[in-house]
Structure formats: C-alpha cells, structure tokens
Amino acid sequence: MTARNCSPVPERGRRAVLPHVPMRPLWLCRACAAPWPCQPARLLLLLDYRRDRVALSIHMAGCLFDATADLLRTNPNPADLFERFIGWTAHL
C-alpha cells in the first residue's frame, strides 16, 4: 500500500517515500520545496482522483480557499493562485 501524494526518492536498495504535501503557511512542498502543488503532487493527485475529476477540482478548491488566507499578503494577485491550485485541473 502506498501513501497518498507520495513519490519515491532515489536511494540505494529499498526506496523511501516522501509525501508531496504542502507546508503551511508557505504552501511549499515538504519533499521538493517547490510551490505546492508541485509537478509530482499534481501527478499523484491525478492518480488518486483518476476516476473522479470533479472531486479533484473540489479538493483543490478547498486548498485554494485555505491558501488564499495564507498567501494573499505575499501574492496579492488571486488569478495566480487560481491557476496554481485549480486552473491546471481544467487543462487535462
């Protein structure tokens, strides 16, 4: 069984799994420090929600709601946040 939103990290022998989850209030990935959702997180979210894209959009809308309160001071352009959290789900 694999953990949600995780990807393998190269190591010798057995591979450790680090979750690609957000570090709040910065909304950076705990595994790779990229703005979350990072590319690995997006791919893993697509796998998790492959049978229900509407649920993926709803989940990401909830993340956008939480991130807006945290990031609005540092990123005053809500359109950027929309594209970062929800816009990519519509392009698939």
Side-chain angles (χ1 to χ4, degrees), residues 20-22 26-40 84:
H20 286 269
V21 294
L26 300 174
W27 288 88
L28 298 175
C29 179
R30 288 188 183 275
C32 62
W36 192 90
C38 58
Q39 190 60 34
R84 177 175 162 184

Side-chain angles (χ1 to χ4, degrees), residues 32-89:
C32 62
W36 192 90
C38 58
Q39 190 60 34
R42 290 179 183 192
L43 291 172
L44 293 163
L45 284 163
L46 285 172
L47 286 173
D48 287 344
Y49 289 95
R50 67 183 166 271
R51 292 193 172 102
D52 195 352
R53 291 290 176 90
V54 173
L56 172 60
S57 296
I58 292 168
H59 171 71
M60 293 309 297
C63 292
L64 173 63
F65 180 80
D66 292 339
T68 300
D70 293 338
L71 297 175
L72 203 53
R73 286 184 212 106
T74 60
N75 187 359
N77 187 352
D80 291 342
L81 293 178
F82 179 85
E83 184 60 34
R84 177 175 162 184
F85 284 89
I86 299 176
W88 66 272
T89 64

